Amino acid sequence: MAGNNIIKIKSYYFLTIFLMLALALGTLTPAALAADYLTATVAVDGNRVSAAGTTTPDTDVTLLVIRTTDENKSYTDQTRSDETGAFSFCFQMEEGTYQATFTSNGLTVQREFTVKNTSAGTVTVRVEGAEENLLPETKVDILAGQTTLLEAVTKALDESGTPYEMQNGMIYSIRGEEGWQWLLNGKGGMALPSTLLQDGDEIVLVDDMLWDPILTRLTLSDEQVSVGDTFTVTLEKVVEKSASPASGQEIYFNNESKITDAQGKVEFTATAEGNYYVTAQTKGNLVRPVPASIRVGKTSIIPDRNIRVKIRIEGYKKTIFNDTVTFDPESYKSSDGKYRITDPDGEEHKFSRPTVLLATIVAWNEGHIKDNSIGYNDNYVARMAGEEEFDFKDEHPTCGWLVRVNDVLINQGAGVWPIEDGDTVEWYYGDLDSYFGEIEVSPTSLDPGGTIKVKVTGRSNKEKDFGRYGERRPMADATVYVDGREYTTDENGEAQITMNTPGTYEVYAIKLDKNSKNGNYYFPLMSRTEKIEVKVTGTASSSIVLPEEIEGETFAELQKLLNKAGIMELPKERIKVEAGKAVVHPQVSDIEKAIAQIDQLVQEIKEKNLLEEEDVQWLKTKIRLVVPQCNCEEMETIIDTEAAKLLAQIDSLEVMSEIASFEVTAQTFGKEAKGQEIILFARRVDSTELSEKERAAVPQNSSVTELEARLGGNTVSNFNEPMLVGIPYADNSEAGDQIAAFMLNQDGTVEPVGGLYDEDSEMVKFITNHFSRYFAKQSVKQFADLSQVSWAKDAVQNLAGKGIIRGKSDSLFDPTASITRAEFCALMTRMLKYEASSDTVMPFKDVAKGIWYYDAVLAAYEKGLVSGKSAEAFDPSGAITRQEMAKIIGKVLESRRYRPGEEKQLDAFKDKDSIASWAKDAAAVVAREGIITGTPEGNFEPNRHASRAETAVMLFRLYKLIMK
């Protein structure tokens, strides 16, 4: 690809998404510097227009296109330059002359461009040497009015593998014969290599020593005869549109030759069955004709003209079509020889022959697939089922629809690529850097508790792969879907999945770019694979029996039963005790058994219709492995690599022992955990090991527990996702919510880390993003100004004692004051132990680095809890409203897989109609979970600024909910 105002694509039918790549790579050379900080250039390829330029970095650029003949505003768009100042546009225009006006930074530049009327077409090319035919008549696809004579001829020679040599931009020799003249539609002399071709043109190359060459044509009286029948052959000279007999020329049929009479005719008798060619070896200035075919034998049965094509269309939203279409292409053929078809949107399309796009429109019609757009003169799909090219243009400037035919990434337009019976067509949304997804699943039939092996690979879409199968590579970090559950492939593109519940399942995979989003959908780095059916036959049993009737809220009661189904007490043989240290090694079968019990219970819930289908998916699947008491001072739990893979099948795995509890998920340790065993270590720290200052910091009724995590032998300093852990605390003194956990530093200082007491386990549970030494104690922070908000006193004092909320001073809380957006971010991230990644960039210009709330806002933004008032402004000092708080709390619950709310859950509020549409779903969730209960008057008051006391109550309710 090259620039200088006109982009040439190696194949005229090459997917025009390559045009955007050229722009992104900067291959277009700016025409001129129009003004400081603003340049622009326009390139036209068919009816595809691309524009690129430079301005100041991160600046809005507006484009207005006006047709010069009638001042029609034909196109307008706006984009933003990147960090280098580069910007680009890409769009389609009808035939005409236009003026493009670019505006940025108050500066304006204009460019004129013309779109010519071009359309896809087909021409024929053949080469007649001095003694023999060097290239049979070959069809070549072109762009009418744009493809040159030389380009069509070289393309025919290249595609047929015919050797030739170029000199000085001309064809010098073909198969060793030198010197050629060109005939276009029977005429010579005026046909230059640069002549632009039209649909249906006929090109013949003949020896340049042939003076005033004249084309000839062979016709037969019959195309099929029986043995013993006689047929007539006629040879004619063709000059423009008139024909005359070619007498005295030698005609060949089945090793027999005859000379044409004055009428240009000869007769032959068929002597044997078979398929034959009739040829002529002309003399003088007559050009050898195209051979004519004849069949000798019995009349054949009329063949089945139907074409059967397997078509699969994978969009970034869903599978749009996956079925076989059967059609007779001749039923679409009109009197002009073109194939015409109307799509579901009522648009008619025209093709020179049966093509991939013709078959695709047949699929659209059968599947009632609307909202499509075909451009480039019926040769290019820009939109399918509402999914349009450049929907992800910011991160993927070449994104759009690609197509493979019989596993080959086609290098011509879908409107000219021929279709044949038995072909397989696979459309998918991607770009030059994405992959076409493929999946292997084995076995596809198994018993409950068996394991399937999934292997996911992808074929590349690089430019060099067009016209080929594409380089194949394993797809690491692809998501495999089985019955709504998600699993992740390892570095080899593989995943092993245990199938516990009888049924028939669809297994497929996709890999998404979570940094590139359009609406609610992510860009596919690898397209969705074909869906493979897996059957699990047999029976599975669960020790949990569903009651005939459920008292109380159905979802909550079923969740309790599911939690119970996930409890598995480890057999004693899984524990080895030596010198006061216990090594616990759960087996894969232990986890699989618990998963099977959960899956069976879920299946029964579905079969008995105890929940709506959309609610079943929100039931949490947690496994608790209970380690029998062994009176040890140290405990090491080993989750080997095979057991760790099962984490993808559940929400969380808790290992519960007398020394500590650990709750891990598939995301706790991130990518580093793949292929490595996980070791969770807990140790009771003897008081003799502590310094005098450390002993003074720990109450006598508390014990210190040291926690450690290792991956493959290496200590983990920070987790990818905060972990919920528990440490013993036997003397609760009925303090309940007042108990908190503290981290004991080596210098004897202590830091509160939150925590809630769990009566069932007699442990204090808390969230942490790294391990250290911890202890628990009663901790309440007293404030002198809470008498007027007695309803909030416990929440304020308990949260302050846990180090989550702070006062305005050591003795004053200021409960009636409003809370700012920055303060609320600090509270949420402190409570949830969220920290931003080192590579996260702060998008808000009003949050300066170094200010006290910078890290909190950045972490809340990275975790998806908050957005700005605009793309660049967060308004950190602005008072937060109750509905803004509800929205953020709703996102916290959503991240923990709490089921969505329903609008009916807002009926308790008299002013529910005043809640903003963007906050209603979240408000319904927090209302259902009892986090926001409304005012005494029965109002939600969505736009009122929340007070510090209200905030403390809401946060304490949220904290107790997520710590369960």
Side-chain angles (χ1 to χ4, degrees):
M1 293 182 282
N4 298 326
N5 294 326
I6 296 294
I7 293 181
K8 290 291 185 180
I9 301 179
K10 184 177 180 182
S11 169
Y12 283 107
Y13 310 106
F14 202 72
L15 293 175
T16 55
I17 59 173
F18 276 73
L19 204 55
M20 284 300 292
L21 181 64
L23 290 169
L25 294 177
T27 58
L28 296 177
T29 305
L33 186 62
D36 288 343
Y37 306 113
L38 182 59
T39 67
T41 183
V42 177
V44 180
D45 184 24
N47 68 341
R48 195 81 175 161
V49 182
S50 297
T54 56
T55 182
T56 52
D58 198 26
T59 304
D60 289 332
V61 183
T62 302
L63 169 64
L64 173 63
V65 178
I66 296 177
R67 190 163 54 213
T68 56
T69 54
D70 56 5
E71 300 298 317
N72 176 266
K73 292 182 179 179
S74 303
Y75 181 81
T76 183
D77 197 3
Q78 181 172 322
T79 188
R80 197 168 185 85
S81 62
D82 62 19
E83 63 274 9
T84 67
F87 65 86
S88 63
F89 298 91
C90 191
F91 50 94
Q92 293 181 355
M93 299 298 291
E94 297 178 352
E95 179 183 10
T97 301
Y98 300 88
Q99 183 179 76
T101 301
F102 301 84
T103 304
S104 178
N105 277 331
L107 302 174
T108 298
V109 296
Q110 293 181 331
R111 296 284 180 265
E112 284 194 356
F113 63 92
T114 300
V115 178
K116 297 180 180 179
N117 184 18
T118 61
S119 61
T122 305
V123 299
T124 60
V125 179
R126 63 186 171 102
V127 179
E128 299 294 343
E131 301 296 333
E132 61 179 345
N133 173 269
L134 303 183
L135 176 69
E137 188 172 69
T138 302
K139 288 185 177 181
V140 176
D141 297 318
I142 65 160
L143 284 181
Q146 185 166 317
T147 303
T148 67
L149 186 61
L150 178 61
E151 289 169 332
V153 172
T154 55
K155 184 178 181 182
L157 295 172
D158 288 336
E159 291 183 352
S160 64
T162 303
Y164 66 97
E165 181 183 352
M166 301 285 294
Q167 284 190 8
N168 300 320
M170 295 287 290
I171 295 178
Y172 174 69
S173 68
I174 301 175
R175 292 192 183 275
E177 289 194 29
E178 300 175 356
W180 297 94
Q181 57 182 312
W182 311 59
L183 300 180
L184 179 59
N185 299 326
K187 295 181 180 181
M190 298 302 292
L192 301 174
S194 59
T195 300
L196 297 178
L197 301 178
Q198 301 299 326
D199 185 32
D201 282 349
E202 297 177 354
I203 306 163
V204 183
L205 271 66
V206 299
D207 191 285
D208 63 352
M209 300 303 294
L210 189 64
W211 182 255
D212 191 21
I214 297 175
L215 295 180
T216 60
R217 178 175 60 205
L218 272 175
T219 57
L220 307 180
S221 58
D222 299 283
E223 294 182 353
Q224 181 168 327
V225 296
S226 299
V227 175
D229 288 348
T230 299
F231 63 94
T232 302
V233 180
T234 302
L235 181 66
E236 297 174 301
K237 293 180 288 186
V238 182
V239 179
E240 295 187 4
K241 294 184 179 181
S242 62
S244 59
S247 59
Q249 303 297 320
E250 194 168 12
I251 309 297
Y252 295 87
F253 167 70
N254 194 18
N255 297 320
E256 183 182 1
S257 66
K258 292 186 178 182
I259 304 298
T260 57
D261 60 17
Q263 301 300 315
K265 298 180 183 294
V266 295
E267 285 189 352
F268 289 102
T269 300
T271 59
E273 290 186 359
N275 296 314
Y276 300 91
Y277 278 109
V278 179
T279 61
Q281 188 65 36
T282 55
K283 297 181 295 184
N285 65 339
L286 300 186
V287 178
R288 193 178 299 107
V290 175
S293 62
I294 187 170
R295 175 179 173 79
V296 179
K298 297 178 180 179
T299 303
S300 61
I301 299 174
I302 297 175
D304 180 6
R305 299 186 307 185
N306 282 342
I307 288 178
R308 299 163 187 82
V309 182
K310 176 70 169 65
I311 296 182
R312 182 160 63 96
I313 305 173
E314 296 292 349
Y316 61 79
K317 295 180 182 178
K318 62 180 181 179
T319 300
I320 297 170
F321 188 88
N322 187 14
D323 205 350
T324 297
V325 297
T326 302
F327 62 98
D328 178 6
E330 296 305 308
S331 65
Y332 298 104
K333 196 171 185 178
S334 55
S335 58
D336 62 357
K338 301 294 184 182
Y339 294 81
R340 301 175 185 272
I341 186 172
T342 301
D343 67 24
D345 296 309
E347 299 292 329
E348 185 184 72
H349 307 279
K350 179 179 67 175
F351 308 98
S352 298
R353 58 184 171 184
T355 66
V356 168
L357 198 45
L358 172 64
T360 301
I361 298 174
V362 172
W364 291 352
N365 288 332
E366 289 191 6
H368 306 290
I369 300 166
K370 294 187 176 183
D371 197 8
N372 311 302
S373 175
I374 297 176
Y376 216 1
N377 298 288
D378 291 338
N379 196 39
Y380 173 77
V381 174
R383 183 174 66 252
M384 214 180 307
E387 299 185 24
E388 192 159 14
E389 59 180 348
F390 312 130
D391 278 351
F392 302 85
K393 63 181 179 181
D394 290 342
E395 298 83 12
H396 300 274
T398 62
C399 64
W401 286 99
L402 298 97
V403 60
R404 301 175 71 87
V405 179
N406 300 330
D407 206 24
V408 170
L409 186 62
I410 67 173
N411 58 359
Q412 294 179 320
V416 296
W417 190 277
I419 196 73
E420 296 181 359
D421 186 35
D423 281 352
T424 297
V425 175
E426 293 163 308
W427 287 93
Y428 58 105
Y429 197 97
D431 71 353
L432 299 181
D433 294 319
S434 67
Y435 288 81
F436 172 74
E438 297 177 335
I439 189 170
E440 300 172 41
V441 181
S442 178
T444 55
S445 179
L446 65 162
D447 295 327
T451 300
I452 60 172
K453 183 176 181 180
V454 178
K455 184 173 181 61
V456 181
T457 55
R459 294 192 184 274
S460 69
N461 301 324
K462 299 293 186 182
E463 182 177 354
K464 63 181 177 60
D465 293 322
F466 275 77
R468 299 178 175 86
Y469 296 109
E471 177 189 356
R472 191 175 184 183
R473 59 168 293 184
M475 285 289 106
D477 297 320
T479 302
V480 180
Y481 291 89
V482 183
D483 193 35
R485 295 183 183 273
E486 299 180 11
Y487 309 88
T488 304
T489 58
D490 60 19
E491 64 275 10
N492 299 314
E494 297 178 349
Q496 292 191 20
I497 301 168
T498 302
M499 308 294 290
N500 294 302
T501 306
T504 300
Y505 304 90
E506 284 186 334
V507 181
Y508 66 95
I510 191 171
K511 184 174 182 178
L512 301 174
D513 180 358
K514 292 300 183 69
N515 296 316
S516 180
K517 194 173 184 181
N518 179 36
N520 294 322
Y521 300 94
Y522 297 102
F523 177 80
L525 293 172
M526 181 199 74
S527 67
R528 188 181 298 103
T529 68
E530 191 172 7
K531 295 175 180 176
I532 305 297
E533 188 176 273
V534 173
K535 292 184 178 180
V536 181
T537 56
T539 59
S541 61
S542 171
S543 60
I544 307 298
V545 179
L546 288 172
E548 293 297 325
E549 295 184 4
I550 295 178
E551 298 180 0
E553 205 271 315
T554 303
F555 186 92
E557 292 303 314
L558 290 176
Q559 183 63 72
K560 290 179 182 178
L561 289 173
L562 209 61
N563 291 342
K564 186 177 179 182
I567 297 175
M568 173 67 63
E569 183 165 345
L570 290 175
K572 290 185 177 180
E573 56 264 27
R574 304 283 191 261
I575 307 169
K576 292 183 179 180
V577 181
E578 188 174 327
K581 178 180 179 180
V583 177
V584 183
H585 195 168
Q587 299 297 299
V588 171
S589 58
D590 299 324
I591 302 175
E592 287 178 340
K593 184 177 179 181
I595 291 176
Q597 290 189 164
I598 290 173
D599 286 348
Q600 179 63 21
L601 196 61
V602 171
Q603 186 65 28
E604 292 180 17
I605 291 171
K606 290 181 180 179
E607 292 173 355
K608 293 184 178 181
N609 295 317
L610 296 177
L611 284 179
E612 296 292 335
E613 185 67 29
E614 58 267 25
D615 284 337
V616 173
Q617 64 178 313
W618 299 107
L619 289 168
K620 297 182 182 65
T621 55
K622 174 181 176 179
I623 292 177
R624 174 182 284 186
L625 298 180
V626 180
V627 180
Q629 189 166 350
C630 58
N631 298 316
C632 297
E633 298 299 315
E634 297 181 22
M635 187 163 293
E636 184 176 84
T637 302
I638 301 173
I639 304 175
D640 61 30
T641 56
E642 294 304 311
K645 290 179 181 179
L646 296 177
L647 290 174
Q649 300 185 36
I650 55 177
D651 288 306
S652 64
L653 170 68
E654 181 180 18
V655 180
M656 184 77 188
S657 74
E658 61 198 270
I659 300 179
S661 68
F662 303 89
E663 188 168 335
V664 296
T665 72
Q667 290 76 41
T668 299
F669 297 102
K671 295 180 180 179
E672 288 79 5
K674 288 192 175 181
Q676 299 192 66
E677 67 178 11
I678 300 170
I679 297 177
L680 303 171
F681 177 80
R683 182 175 74 92
R684 292 189 177 103
V685 179
D686 192 276
S687 60
T688 59
E689 298 180 44
L690 302 178
S691 67
E692 185 176 345
K693 190 173 182 181
E694 288 174 325
R695 285 196 296 271
V698 180
Q700 289 186 354
N701 60 349
S702 297
S703 61
V704 177
T705 303
E706 182 179 21
L707 305 179
E708 184 179 334
R710 296 192 291 271
L711 288 179
N714 297 316
T715 300
V716 180
S717 56
N718 287 89
F719 307 141
N720 179 66
E721 181 182 84
M723 188 191 303
L724 179 64
V725 299
I727 57 174
Y729 186 73
D731 184 13
N732 62 59
S733 303
E734 299 183 352
D737 294 341
Q738 297 180 3
I739 301 171
F742 287 79
M743 182 170 66
L744 179 62
N745 297 316
Q746 290 183 348
D747 60 0
T749 59
V750 297
E751 295 178 32
V753 291
L756 278 176
Y757 182 73
D758 178 56
E759 291 183 3
D760 293 336
S761 62
E762 295 186 345
M763 286 194 171
V764 175
K765 300 286 188 70
F766 60 97
I767 304 170
T768 181
N769 45 31
H770 68 279
F771 279 164
S772 182
R773 293 187 300 172
Y774 302 95
F775 68 93
K777 69 174 182 177
Q778 186 174 350
S779 176
V780 177
K781 175 66 176 176
Q782 303 287 344
F783 294 102
D785 56 352
L786 299 179
S787 59
Q788 293 182 349
V789 289
S790 56
W791 48 270
K793 184 176 180 180
D794 286 345
V796 172
Q797 295 185 155
N798 287 335
L799 284 180
K802 299 177 190 301
I804 294 173
I805 202 166
R806 296 167 185 167
K808 289 290 187 178
S809 69
D810 191 56
S811 60
L812 297 177
F813 183 72
D814 196 7
T816 59
S818 60
I819 191 166
T820 68
R821 289 164 55 83
E823 287 172 331
F824 193 68
C825 284
L827 288 172
M828 293 298 295
T829 55
R830 191 181 304 137
M831 182 176 75
L832 300 172
K833 298 298 185 289
Y834 283 164
E835 295 179 352
S837 305
S838 59
D839 55 352
T840 302
V841 178
M842 172 66 75
F844 308 122
K845 294 184 177 179
D846 57 352
V847 181
K849 195 164 188 177
I851 200 164
W852 68 267
Y853 51 76
Y854 179 88
D855 290 339
V857 174
L858 186 62
Y861 169 76
E862 182 190 286
K863 300 300 182 182
L865 301 186
V866 298
S867 56
K869 292 289 188 179
S870 68
E872 297 181 348
F874 181 71
D875 189 20
S877 300
I880 195 167
T881 65
R882 286 164 60 87
Q883 67 181 356
E884 286 176 330
M885 288 177 61
K887 181 69 174 178
I888 295 172
I889 294 172
K891 287 184 177 181
V892 172
L893 295 176
E894 178 186 347
S895 69
R896 282 164 165 73
R897 294 194 65 249
Y898 278 77
R899 74 189 196 278
E902 300 177 26
E903 193 166 344
K904 66 181 181 181
Q905 288 154 350
L906 298 176
D907 290 344
F909 303 111
K910 297 176 182 178
D911 59 347
K912 67 175 183 177
D913 292 336
S914 64
I915 301 174
S917 58
W918 52 264
K920 279 193 172 180
D921 289 344
V925 175
V926 298
R928 184 193 68 212
E929 300 298 337
I931 295 172
I932 295 182
T933 57
T935 66
E937 294 78 20
N939 292 321
F940 191 89
E941 296 189 354
N943 294 306
R944 181 168 61 80
H945 295 152
S947 70
R948 287 169 54 80
E950 287 177 313
T951 301
V953 171
M954 293 181 201
L955 288 186
F956 197 43
R957 289 171 179 167
L958 173 64
Y959 192 58
K960 293 174 74 172
L961 181 67
I962 64 177
M963 294 292 287
K964 287 182 180 178

